[in-house]
Amino acid sequence: RPAPHNPLYEDAARVGLADPELREVAVTCFTAALDALPRLGADDGVTEAVAAYRDRHVARGRCPADDTLDRLRATAAAARTTHPHGKDTPS
């Protein structure tokens, strides 16, 4: 069935790059794009940005939202260990 009713599409939407097969395909696509960028006239800055995104997110099975969630979790954890009057409490 076509997206969004295809079970594969639904799985991809639900788990994203946490799915090992989807992550592998995404890495392959990003690698192909990186190989093509110089032929398409992309400058070094674009190529470096795409490579950094692939390494930071795609290869690790993450998306930019994961970085935001990590920061929110760290902030929440820090708030739980700080006394409301500024005194540290045991974790």
Side-chain angles (χ1 to χ4, degrees):
R1 299 183 298 181
H5 306 291
N6 183 309
L8 296 174
Y9 178 88
E10 292 170 3
D11 288 345
R14 187 178 313 101
V15 298
L17 296 180
D19 179 279
E21 290 180 37
L22 186 56
R23 180 175 52 245
E24 182 180 344
V25 170
V27 168
T28 299
C29 289
F30 267 78
T31 301
L34 282 167
D35 290 344
L37 284 173
R39 292 191 309 272
L40 297 172
D43 64 31
D44 290 343
V46 171
T47 302
E48 290 169 8
V50 173
Y53 187 91
R54 180 200 56 194
D55 296 343
R56 179 177 177 91
H57 298 293
V58 179
R60 296 173 56 207
R62 294 174 57 88
C63 73
D66 291 322
D67 293 341
T68 301
L69 290 172
D70 289 346
R71 285 191 299 275
L72 289 172
R73 289 180 186 120
T75 301
R80 285 192 301 274
T81 61
T82 302
H83 189 277
H85 300 290
K87 301 176 184 176
D88 288 339
T89 56
S91 305

